[in-house]
Amino acid sequence: MKKNRVNLFQDLPGHLDQEFVETLQAHESFRIERIVSRGHASPREFWYDQEEHEWVTVLAGKAQLQIEGEKALVTLCPGDTYDLPAHTKHRVAWTEPNHDTIWLAVFWKSA
Amino acid sequence: MKKNRVNLFQDLPGHLDQEFVETLQAHESFRIERIVSRGHASPREFWYDQEEHEWVTVLAGKAQLQIEGEKALVTLCPGDTYDLPAHTKHRVAWTEPNHDTIWLAVFWKSA
């Protein structure tokens, strides 16, 4: 599912039961996704434990990440970027309930 | 020059003689750059002719790309994305003079 000329701030889904994930670029070496959250968070005991490295930015809205072993949540406002090396256990603790949070994420594996 | 926790909309240079290019991620297989234009455009006869593929988006401001062989300029408003396969000759025809145009660009080579 590759769309080339999406507008990152538009073309939003009308109804969102769960986070909306859209692959914008998919190549052997990396992948670009747009993710739209509307108050969604990871389930309480769920942790992402990815084989891929991730570089993520919030373009609109607001989100909080929980990183395993860190007491303070990481708050991401528009433009904030964050690095998640592979196997950095993390979860989405919170996203703004009344606005769309639009993420842009790039995933890749070590060479 | 790799900065991990830049805010894409902040940390802008005070004075810009020319476009400001900052590498946010540099890996063997791809590179992520933030580019800030302040009314800058490519020289009149200059064309980018890149060996790398490029996926670009304008996050703030407004820009117009000229693509070789195409009459109409491509206008990019915030959130608009555009694909520039390798050796797509192009130039930046115009960027907004009174506001910063902030681009996010991902470059990669074919496997």
Side-chain angles (χ1 to χ4, degrees):
Chain A
M1 184 180 63
K2 180 181 162 180
K3 283 173 67 178
N4 286 339
R5 288 223 57 189
V6 69
N7 181 293
L8 300 174
F9 298 119
Q10 298 169 15
D11 311 313
L12 297 165
H15 184 73
L16 274 191
D17 279 336
Q18 49 189 5
E19 274 191 347
F20 175 76
V21 179
E22 181 179 30
T23 300
L24 303 175
Q25 290 282 341
H27 301 280
E28 201 177 342
S29 53
F30 73 99
R31 189 172 77 256
I32 304 177
E33 288 182 359
R34 181 176 72 148
I35 302 160
V36 182
S37 311
R38 203 168 283 168
H40 300 98
S42 305
R44 185 171 290 273
E45 300 294 334
F46 174 84
W47 293 90
Y48 289 101
D49 182 8
Q50 303 167 167
E51 294 193 5
E52 293 170 306
H53 307 289
E54 179 179 352
W55 177 85
V56 70
T57 180
V58 163
L59 297 179
K62 197 171 177 181
Q64 289 189 308
L65 290 180
Q66 185 178 3
I67 310 293
E68 192 190 41
E70 294 190 13
K71 276 191 176 171
L73 299 178
V74 177
T75 300
L76 297 177
C77 294
D80 285 338
T81 65
Y82 199 77
D83 267 297
L84 292 161
H87 298 298
T88 303
K89 284 196 186 179
H90 65 282
R91 52 189 298 282
V92 177
W94 176 87
T95 60
E96 241 184 343
N98 300 320
H99 297 278
D100 288 340
T101 295
I102 301 176
W103 313 71
L104 192 73
V106 182
F107 298 88
W108 71 98
K109 288 193 179 179
S110 294
Chain B
M1 184 179 64
K2 178 180 162 181
K3 283 175 68 178
N4 286 339
R5 288 223 56 190
V6 69
N7 181 293
L8 300 174
F9 298 119
Q10 298 169 15
D11 310 313
L12 297 166
H15 184 71
L16 274 190
D17 280 335
Q18 48 188 4
E19 275 192 348
F20 175 77
V21 179
E22 181 178 33
T23 301
L24 302 175
Q25 291 282 341
H27 302 279
E28 201 176 343
S29 54
F30 73 99
R31 189 172 77 256
I32 304 176
E33 288 182 358
R34 180 176 71 148
I35 301 159
V36 182
S37 311
R38 203 169 282 167
H40 300 97
S42 306
R44 186 171 290 272
E45 300 295 332
F46 175 85
W47 294 90
Y48 289 101
D49 183 7
Q50 300 166 166
E51 294 193 3
E52 294 171 304
H53 306 290
E54 179 178 352
W55 176 86
V56 71
T57 179
V58 163
L59 297 179
K62 196 171 177 183
Q64 289 188 309
L65 290 180
Q66 186 178 2
I67 310 293
E68 192 190 41
E70 295 190 11
K71 275 189 178 171
L73 299 177
V74 177
T75 299
L76 297 176
C77 294
D80 285 339
T81 65
Y82 199 77
D83 266 295
L84 291 161
H87 298 298
T88 303
K89 283 196 187 180
H90 66 282
R91 52 189 297 282
V92 178
W94 176 86
T95 60
E96 238 183 345
N98 300 319
H99 297 279
D100 288 338
T101 295
I102 300 175
W103 314 72
L104 193 73
V106 182
F107 299 87
W108 70 98
K109 289 194 178 179
S110 295

